[in-house]
Amino acid sequence: MMLMNTALKINYRTQAANELAESTPCPRSVNDVYSLGVNLQYCIGARYREIAELNQKETRSDSIRLAEKQMEIKKRIDQAASHHLNILIQHFYEQGGPVIEDPVSEETVKEINPFYNRLMSNFLKTLDEVTDKVRRGEMSIGEMETTIDRELISMYGALGNLFGVGEMRKAFHDLVEIRESLA
């Protein structure tokens, strides 16, 4: 009896995007929230590109369109981050240059971090599952998009609720609004 190696081909773009998302620390500032959003957009976009590379006629064009949509969402998040940074710089100069502290303390991050890690892990697991289902033909690309949108919006809402700081909650709300506006 002969054993065959049937390992899946490793998609390094997807692997790198996943590692980037997994390594994103619990946010301490609004800019960290926007960075998290950008990293997740890269991760989601990589999944759609991975599916497009399968060259299945019925999913290729939709997958490419959805990957491009993720980059449009990323661009909007970058714009929101730039706007927030401009406000911080203006505040910095108006106040005579004092150091601007992160709105979330290290102590609070230690308390929130287990919940943050669980939410991120669950989202990335869902992303793996839906990608595998589409690969196997058990889910359409449209169902994948709906599932990702629902799970990501739910995660952003849950993350926003973890923080007692209004500006952090608003940043997570901004991520939801950006995603919904391009749905």
Side-chain angles (χ1 to χ4, degrees):
M1 185 153 80
M2 188 171 141
L3 295 174
M4 297 184 74
N5 184 358
T6 58
L8 288 173
K9 179 182 167 192
I10 296 172
N11 186 311
Y12 291 103
R13 182 181 337 158
T14 301
Q15 183 179 2
N18 268 9
E19 288 172 3
L20 178 65
E22 289 171 351
S23 68
T24 303
C26 185
R28 287 193 60 203
S29 69
V30 171
N31 283 339
D32 291 347
V33 172
Y34 292 133
S35 292
L36 168 65
V38 166
N39 291 346
L40 288 173
Q41 289 310 125
Y42 279 123
C43 189
I44 296 166
R47 294 310 178 101
Y48 286 127
R49 285 188 297 279
E50 178 182 336
I51 291 169
E53 290 170 3
L54 295 175
N55 291 324
Q56 296 174 343
K57 289 180 183 177
E58 63 275 1
T59 60
R60 183 170 172 73
S61 63
D62 285 340
S63 297
I64 291 169
R65 177 185 57 79
L66 290 169
E68 290 170 353
K69 180 180 172 182
Q70 304 317 302
M71 293 305 102
E72 180 61 32
I73 293 170
K74 178 225 162 278
K75 190 168 114 180
R76 291 269 185 93
I77 294 170
D78 283 338
Q79 289 170 345
S82 292
H83 175 72
H84 180 264
L85 186 57
N86 287 337
I87 290 170
L88 280 179
I89 291 170
Q90 180 181 355
H91 175 76
F92 175 81
Y93 285 116
E94 287 174 355
Q95 301 300 315
V99 175
I100 300 172
E101 296 290 327
D102 288 332
V104 179
S105 69
E106 284 187 41
E107 182 178 305
T108 301
V109 167
K110 285 178 184 176
E111 293 172 16
I112 292 173
N113 204 47
F115 302 105
Y116 168 81
N117 288 335
R118 188 171 335 129
L119 289 166
M120 283 292 292
S121 177
N122 288 342
F123 175 75
L124 294 172
K125 180 180 173 190
T126 298
L127 196 55
D128 285 339
E129 290 170 355
V130 296
T131 302
D132 287 341
K133 285 181 179 181
V134 170
R135 250 194 245 124
R136 291 189 309 263
E138 297 171 4
M139 177 182 270
S140 73
I141 196 74
E143 291 170 318
M144 178 181 180
E145 177 187 24
T146 300
T147 301
I148 290 171
D149 285 346
R150 182 186 66 238
E151 294 297 317
L152 189 59
I153 287 169
S154 174
M155 183 181 73
Y156 285 155
L159 287 172
N161 289 335
L162 285 176
F163 294 91
V165 180
E167 65 185 289
M168 296 291 284
R169 286 183 177 177
K170 182 185 178 324
F172 281 110
H173 181 74
D174 288 349
L175 293 179
V176 169
E177 282 186 343
I178 290 167
R179 185 136 200 109
E180 289 177 338
S181 73
L182 292 171

